[in-house]
Amino acid sequence: MSTKSNTMWGGRFASGPDAIMEAINASIGYDRRLAAEDIAGSRAHAAMLAAQGIITDSDAQAIREGLLTILSEIEEGSFVFSTALEDIHMNVEARLTELIGAPAGRLHTARSRNDQVAVDFRLWVRGAADAAQDAIRGLQRAILAQAEAGAAMVMPGFTHLQVAQPVTFGHHLMAWVEMLARDAGRFADARARMNESPLGAAALAGTSFPIDREATAQALGFARPMANSLDAVSDRDFALEFLSAATICAVHLSRMAEELVIWSTAQFGFVKLSDRWSTGSSIMPQKRNPDAAELIRAKIGRITGAQVALTTVMKGLPLAYSKDMQEDKEQVFEAADQLALALAAMTGMVADLTPQPDAMRASAARGFSTATDLADWLVRALNLPFREAHHVTGHLVALAEAKGCDLPELSLADMQSVHGAITGEVFSVLGVENSVASRMSQGGTAPARVREQIARWKALLA
């Protein structure tokens, strides 16, 4: 492949750019990842040109065969990319010319690199959105398996990282499933909005050739062509929306990772991470470090950084295309790669972790976690206003603290010293198992409700 000059500039420039200009102008170092999408777009465009009588069938056939040869070379690793040819588009076109000669020059009829890169990038981001949804569903299935096994395992629920009320391990994990479902929904919504074809917008104003944009949109799996040619070549909302969805998903993964880090400590001991997802210390032989979880927790910085970077690139650009937009791809590639890695690692960690139910239950029984159950009983059994019941319960908690015991360990006489109408029935609500079993409201932590949630999600993900 010749790399001596870039002929697309024609006679406008007497000489090529110097080394610095070549370095800042070239994007082939990263946009080579668009090769399959670029070739798919070119094949659809060439077929349409032939169908419309704009190029001959024989030229279209030569272009199609040449492009398939180039795709094979790229997939096999034998294709030679050239920085002098700037980008994936010109690298492919130059090689096509070497392979088939003059017909290659007809491929760019009724097309600009502006709509070409817009369609390539949309196709790539659409694929990344699909991949993210698939990975999220895989993680949800791994969580469901653990939640089903732990539907009745009692653990403490927290607010402010303080023991609040007993919940079940399965219920806590199902919260993760719901969070991830919204993430998948965001990617699906973004995909639906980005599924319009820019191809045929040309440089910015459309073309005078009798092209069929509906045909190329259909060939590439788009729902429709974009309605405005200026918008088609200058829009990068689809990339920003993908990054937004990726950022929120990474936030959720980071929160999940933080819980795994906490739960796997000696102080909590709620779960044990497998050796596959832990590392040792170079100096402390007793250590099992949750490095995979910690690295997932850190990925949010890179992903949200990509979102901020691209938002900053786009914020001041007038319509239509500006070279600034060449800086869009690295950010999206980076975020997509990091999100895919984080989802895969989290799926592996969740699938391999071992819950420690005894430690979870012991922790749930501490910290007066059934105080709300006691207050609720006072309302139901003694018809106290909740605020008065709250006040009585507070006195009972203080009494238990003074005695160095938990609420179920107080005697009936102790309780009646605070409120004389309390009966022995109160003890039926104070055990942690009784507490979780009573939370039968929709979305509650009762094992029966948790199993309903699990069954629903298993059906949805089947």
Side-chain angles (χ1 to χ4, degrees):
M1 185 187 302
S2 173
T3 59
K4 293 181 179 178
S5 65
N6 192 334
T7 56
M8 69 177 176
W9 286 355
R12 172 65 182 85
F13 294 89
S15 63
D18 62 21
I20 295 174
M21 182 59 192
E22 181 177 293
I24 198 172
N25 198 47
S27 59
I28 190 60
Y30 49 86
D31 71 12
R32 65 179 64 187
R33 291 183 66 166
L34 300 175
E37 290 77 15
D38 191 71
I39 289 170
S42 290
R43 288 178 61 191
H45 185 66
M48 180 275 296
L49 292 177
Q52 294 297 105
I54 299 171
I55 65 173
T56 66
D57 289 339
S58 61
D59 282 349
Q61 178 67 11
I63 290 169
R64 187 186 77 84
E65 292 176 359
L67 289 171
L68 289 175
T69 298
I70 293 169
L71 182 60
S72 294
E73 291 176 348
I74 292 172
E75 290 175 344
E76 293 165 359
S78 62
F79 189 91
V80 180
F81 293 96
S82 168
T83 303
L85 291 170
E86 290 189 18
D87 56 33
I88 187 61
H89 322 301
M90 297 311 301
N91 271 264
V92 169
E93 186 173 321
R95 179 59 177 149
L96 187 64
T97 300
E98 290 181 353
L99 289 172
I100 68 172
R106 302 189 186 280
L107 175 58
H108 213 52
T109 306
R111 186 175 71 170
S112 164
R113 282 197 300 175
N114 291 357
D115 63 337
Q116 188 177 0
V117 70
V119 75
D120 292 359
F121 198 26
R122 260 177 202 267
L123 287 170
W124 194 95
V125 176
R126 189 179 71 182
D130 290 342
Q133 291 177 73
D134 288 343
I136 288 169
R137 284 190 285 268
L139 175 53
Q140 287 178 300
R141 291 187 185 100
I143 297 170
L144 279 174
Q146 291 284 4
E148 189 166 27
M153 291 181 190
V154 178
M155 68 174 288
F158 298 93
T159 61
H160 309 279
L161 206 56
Q162 305 292 316
V163 173
Q165 292 177 280
V167 297
T168 66
F169 186 58
H171 187 59
H172 192 116
L173 294 183
M174 290 308 295
W176 291 0
V177 171
E178 295 291 338
M179 290 157 61
L180 290 166
R182 293 191 295 275
D183 293 325
R186 273 181 281 272
F187 283 113
D189 290 345
R191 189 200 196 281
R193 269 184 291 279
M194 75 176 70
N195 200 31
E196 296 182 338
S197 175
L199 194 56
L204 76 163
T207 178
S208 59
F209 290 96
I211 62 173
D212 184 351
R213 293 190 65 209
E214 293 285 352
T216 52
Q218 183 177 0
L220 294 169
F222 288 111
R224 64 192 68 83
M226 294 186 73
N228 183 282
S229 60
L230 285 167
D231 182 45
V233 298
S234 63
D235 166 48
R236 293 297 183 271
D237 293 2
F238 65 93
L240 290 169
E241 194 166 6
F242 174 84
L243 290 175
S244 176
T247 296
I248 297 171
C249 184
V251 168
H252 287 157
L253 293 174
S254 180
R255 296 179 70 184
M256 292 162 61
E258 171 69 2
E259 290 192 316
L260 291 179
V261 169
I262 292 171
W263 291 352
S264 63
T265 61
Q267 291 80 2
F268 278 72
F270 291 178
V271 300
K272 182 179 179 181
L273 300 180
S274 77
D275 291 344
R276 295 175 61 197
W277 304 102
S278 305
T279 65
S281 166
S282 63
I283 191 172
M284 294 170 285
Q286 82 281 9
K287 295 291 292 299
R288 286 174 59 88
N289 298 323
D291 282 5
E294 292 171 358
L295 289 166
I296 290 171
R297 191 174 58 187
K299 295 298 183 188
I300 179 63
R302 298 173 72 170
I303 295 171
T304 196
Q307 182 187 23
V308 171
L310 184 54
T311 301
T312 305
V313 167
M314 296 301 299
K315 72 174 184 64
L317 298 187
L319 299 181
Y321 182 82
S322 297
K323 193 70 170 181
D324 311 50
M325 292 161 70
Q326 182 170 291
E327 295 294 310
D328 55 1
K329 297 165 203 66
E330 284 184 287
Q331 312 301 332
V332 176
F333 293 160
E334 164 78 359
D337 288 348
Q338 297 304 319
L339 181 65
L341 183 57
L343 284 165
M346 183 60 75
T347 301
M349 275 196 302
V350 169
D352 285 357
L353 68 80
T354 304
Q356 305 295 304
D358 291 343
M360 287 192 285
R361 191 201 179 283
S363 181
R366 292 193 295 267
F368 309 105
S369 64
T370 57
T372 304
D373 298 276
L374 174 55
D376 289 346
W377 182 86
L378 293 169
V379 171
R380 288 194 308 270
L382 305 185
N383 200 30
L384 297 183
F386 183 79
R387 286 302 169 202
E388 183 180 347
H390 187 283
H391 184 72
V392 169
T393 302
H395 280 294
L396 289 169
V397 168
L399 179 59
E401 281 184 318
K403 287 179 169 288
C405 66
D406 208 340
L407 287 172
E409 297 165 336
L410 289 174
S411 68
L412 180 58
D414 289 333
M415 293 196 178
Q416 289 176 338
S417 71
V418 174
H419 196 289
I422 295 176
T423 69
E425 183 190 342
V426 71
F427 294 100
S428 67
V429 303
L430 292 182
V432 290
E433 284 81 10
N434 292 334
S435 174
V436 297
S438 72
R439 305 293 173 180
M440 284 291 292
S441 58
Q442 185 175 356
T445 193
R449 288 299 194 191
V450 174
R451 292 188 179 102
E452 288 175 0
Q453 295 174 44
I454 293 168
R456 169 176 168 267
W457 272 108
K458 287 175 73 174
L460 287 171
L461 294 172

